[in-house]
């Protein structure tokens, strides 16, 4: 069902943004839905340690393991959502 798929995707986007914002809180920064196409690392939201923490938290939340080949510094929320499918 296409409608269910859209709802699931929106829910995943919300979850990923929530995880990102937990990390960004210490910098008094916040990610919003309008930022979902921005590279989180390249745009300066995360440093390398934060990026690793972010990926780890997503893997735990969604019970998955990303392939190393899929992880690069240009990852955005949208790219992550596509990897979760």
């Amino acid at each position: 069902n296409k409608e269910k798929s859209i709802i699931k995707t929106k829910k995943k986007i919300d979850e990923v943004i929530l995880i990102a914002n937990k990390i960004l809180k210490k910098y008094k920064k916040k990610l919003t839905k309008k930022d979902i196409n921005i590279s989180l690392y390249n745009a300066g939201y995360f440093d390398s340690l934060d990026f690793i923490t972010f990926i780890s938290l997503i893997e735990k939340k969604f019970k998955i393991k990303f392939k190393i080949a899929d992880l690069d510094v240009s990852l955005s929320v949208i790219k992550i959502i596509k990897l979760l499918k």
Side-chain angles (χ1 to χ4, degrees):
N1 186 328
K2 190 175 174 123
E3 195 173 303
K4 275 187 181 178
S5 176
I6 291 169
I7 291 168
K8 270 185 168 178
T9 300
K10 284 183 178 181
K11 200 171 178 183
K12 285 179 185 175
I13 289 170
D14 290 342
E15 291 285 346
V16 171
I17 289 173
L18 192 69
I19 291 167
N21 284 333
K22 283 181 185 173
I23 296 167
L24 292 171
K25 193 176 187 179
K26 65 183 172 191
Y27 304 115
K28 294 179 175 59
K29 289 184 185 175
K30 193 168 185 169
L31 200 64
T32 64
K33 285 187 180 171
K34 68 178 194 279
D35 302 317
I36 61 174
N37 291 305
I38 295 171
S39 161
L40 300 172
Y41 180 82
N42 288 338
Y45 280 96
F46 293 148
D47 63 19
S48 55
L49 209 55
D50 290 332
F51 186 72
I52 292 166
T53 302
F54 176 63
I55 295 301
S56 173
L57 290 171
I58 288 174
E59 287 179 333
K60 282 181 190 154
K61 172 69 185 171
F62 294 99
K63 297 174 178 67
I64 59 141
K65 266 292 192 205
F66 290 114
K67 290 183 227 141
I68 294 293
D70 290 337
L71 301 176
D72 65 53
V73 294
S74 70
L75 276 181
S76 63
V77 172
I78 284 296
K79 287 182 182 177
I80 290 166
I81 299 304
K82 288 177 182 170
L83 292 174
L84 292 175
K85 291 185 177 182

